Amino acid sequence: MFKGQRYASILNQKKVIIEMMLITAPVSARRSIIYYTLSRRGINHNTPSCLLQNKRTHSTTTTIKSYQNINTRPLRSMLYVPASNNRALAKLESLLGIHKPDCIMFDLEDGCAPNKKDESRGHIYQFLQDRKTSSTNKDYFGLIRINRVDTKWFEDDANVAFQMCMSKNININGIVLPKIESSQDVDLITKHMLSLCNNDDSLVDESDGSSQIVSPVPIWAMIETPRAILSVAEIAAHSSVKGLIIGTNDLSKELQLRPTCGSLSGTTNTTRDGLATSLQLVLLAGKAYNKPVIDGVYNNFSDEEGFRDECMRGKEWGMDGKTLIHPSQVSACNKILAPSQEEIEYAKSVVACWEISPDKGVAVLNGMMIEQLHVETAKRLLDMVEVIESMS
């Protein structure tokens, strides 16, 4: 059972906002409350998208923004930047070359104290507005993480994030949602985002025959609970989800694992055996549905050796990138997760060998059999190298 309290107030001429304060609640109970709450706001999680058009709260009729293509750019480093931290925001413009993160996640959730939420929301919006014309503002892939749907900050977070995502001149390419645990959670957020605009006629994905509704703004799902791990395939399959981010700190807590990353007696412990199954399931889901998978953070940013080792292990497993908590981690992450010189030379050799092979079904390079799949992998690696070089 759960303990909670519901407050209802009428704001902005008959607009009802129900604020749920949960002290402790099982996930299943929390979801029932969430669905009830949003239904009171005019959003029913079972309501077809075509019925949402009469319940708009905004009049957004502008053309859908063209977001950066995640399949044609690197996402090696994803730096968390608290929206409330002026110093961290200001430092972004000094991160150049190899020190510039591929992606910046502006954080309204864990990175902002409860009494700073409202201030941070306006602050980050103004920060990005002021830099609309800056060339450095467009070099990275911008995301914004909002608070969970069962918090009192969700609605305001979602509204501001939606506006930033829809603005053509603001470099925000998607919304990061914490504690996503099922495709139903994604449906819920998708319908909320659809309720903020009135141009959802074409936002239906019929490619798999399911006529699944699609969010007007890209959604990135944080995978950070056991329930999320068990449902990660259906989450990755959702048309609204563009990428998966593993929240290893929360996941480790839920799995009751021992601390790692040098937190015990100052020693370095990068073993993540307790997370191995979870990490591999997320990777399998991401690769199955062609969604990038971003590894969790390394907490001890002063432990460079341990950090580099974890980056390398993530690369070997197939991670597309890694979340970072400090700018000092960016350069090492970018270097390790980029193709090495050895990998580049081998890829060039594979392509060259294939092009001169008389039999296009198979070739031999240094005694090893080369097939079309190896050539495709090599070309994809070389394409990524070109993009990385163009960004430096």
Side-chain angles (χ1 to χ4, degrees):
M1 298 298 293
F2 64 89
K3 298 179 182 178
Q5 194 171 24
R6 185 176 72 248
Y7 298 93
S9 62
I10 299 177
L11 300 174
N12 299 328
Q13 298 181 352
K14 300 182 180 181
K15 180 181 179 182
V16 178
I17 300 176
I18 300 178
E19 198 173 282
M20 307 305 302
M21 303 291 289
L22 300 178
I23 299 174
T24 60
V27 174
S28 58
R30 190 176 75 214
R31 277 173 173 48
S32 297
I33 295 171
I34 294 168
Y35 294 146
Y36 174 71
T37 302
L38 290 185
S39 69
R40 288 292 300 272
R41 292 172 178 165
I43 306 168
N44 188 322
H45 70 287
N46 291 318
T47 302
S49 60
C50 61
L51 299 182
L52 292 173
Q53 58 186 355
N54 295 323
K55 300 183 180 183
R56 305 300 179 205
T57 58
H58 292 273
S59 179
T60 304
T61 57
T62 56
T63 304
I64 294 293
K65 175 178 174 179
S66 178
Y67 299 101
Q68 294 185 38
N69 189 343
I70 57 175
N71 294 320
T72 60
R73 61 161 297 129
L75 294 169
R76 300 164 295 174
S77 51
M78 182 178 288
L79 179 65
Y80 283 102
V81 178
S84 59
N85 191 327
N86 290 329
R87 184 177 177 183
L89 289 169
K91 188 176 179 61
L92 291 179
E93 296 181 5
S94 67
L95 301 178
L96 303 173
I98 191 69
H99 300 284
K100 177 183 283 295
D102 290 339
C103 177
I104 295 174
M105 190 196 303
F106 298 99
D107 190 13
L108 289 170
E109 197 216 9
D110 287 346
C112 295
N115 63 341
K116 295 287 186 179
K117 299 289 188 184
D118 293 339
E119 174 186 333
S120 300
R121 199 178 299 118
H123 187 206
I124 193 60
Y125 184 78
Q126 191 60 50
F127 175 85
L128 291 170
Q129 279 276 11
D130 292 345
R131 286 154 181 80
K132 287 192 297 187
T133 59
S134 170
S135 60
T136 58
N137 180 54
K138 297 178 176 61
D139 289 342
Y140 58 82
F141 186 85
L143 298 172
I144 183 164
R145 181 166 72 164
I146 65 176
N147 284 275
R148 299 190 315 274
V149 71
D150 58 339
T151 67
K152 63 181 180 181
W153 306 291
F154 166 76
E155 188 167 348
D156 288 335
D157 279 2
N159 291 348
V160 171
F162 175 84
Q163 295 300 326
M164 286 192 284
C165 281
M166 296 298 284
S167 174
K168 292 183 179 181
N169 296 319
I170 292 181
N171 185 15
I172 291 295
N173 294 276
I175 297 174
V176 178
L177 301 172
K179 298 294 192 300
I180 291 297
E181 295 189 328
S182 68
S183 60
Q184 287 74 27
D185 287 353
V186 182
D187 283 338
L188 188 69
I189 304 300
T190 293
K191 288 171 182 176
H192 183 77
M193 292 302 165
L194 284 168
S195 75
L196 301 180
C197 66
N198 60 2
N199 51 2
D200 64 326
D201 292 342
S202 63
L203 299 176
V204 177
D205 181 9
E206 298 180 339
S207 59
D208 60 356
S210 63
S211 297
Q212 190 177 62
I213 62 169
V214 184
S215 170
V217 298
I219 289 174
W220 288 65
M222 292 286 299
I223 308 299
E224 47 191 341
T225 68
R227 284 177 179 266
I229 296 298
L230 295 174
S231 302
V232 69
E234 69 177 50
I235 295 170
H238 200 290
S239 299
S240 294
V241 173
K242 304 306 177 185
L244 306 173
I245 303 171
I246 308 175
T248 47
N249 280 342
D250 282 281
L251 185 56
S252 296
K253 172 180 173 290
E254 295 291 330
L255 293 173
Q256 300 179 13
L257 302 182
R258 297 180 65 198
T260 60
C261 304
S263 56
L264 293 175
S265 305
T267 61
T268 299
N269 175 17
T270 59
T271 300
R272 296 198 291 176
D273 290 348
L275 289 172
T277 298
S278 298
L279 297 177
Q280 290 174 333
L281 285 172
V282 179
L283 281 163
L284 283 170
K287 303 309 177 183
Y289 295 99
N290 196 29
K291 307 291 173 72
V293 178
I294 311 300
D295 200 358
V297 300
Y298 190 84
N299 295 307
N300 188 352
F301 58 84
S302 63
D303 177 16
E304 184 175 352
E305 181 181 354
F307 174 72
R308 294 176 67 87
D309 181 66
E310 191 165 289
C311 285
M312 183 59 71
R313 290 173 185 269
K315 179 180 181 178
E316 292 171 351
W317 278 27
M319 295 289 183
D320 296 284
K322 189 167 183 62
T323 46
L324 311 175
I325 60 172
H326 197 276
S328 65
Q329 298 175 318
V330 174
S331 59
C333 185
N334 281 344
K335 184 174 181 179
I336 293 170
L337 293 182
S340 67
Q341 192 60 42
E342 182 181 9
E343 290 172 311
I344 295 171
E345 294 303 322
Y346 179 72
K348 289 179 179 179
S349 298
V350 168
V351 174
C353 177
W354 186 260
E355 290 177 348
I356 64 174
S357 174
D359 182 359
K360 289 304 180 183
V362 66
V364 177
L365 176 63
N366 298 328
M368 295 183 63
M369 184 178 69
I370 301 298
E371 297 180 278
Q372 181 65 44
L373 62 92
H374 299 110
V375 180
E376 292 173 359
T377 299
K379 288 182 176 179
R380 185 166 58 247
L381 182 145
L382 294 174
D383 288 342
M384 186 62 69
V385 170
E386 285 189 16
V387 176
I388 292 173
E389 290 177 347
S390 70
M391 294 170 59
S392 60

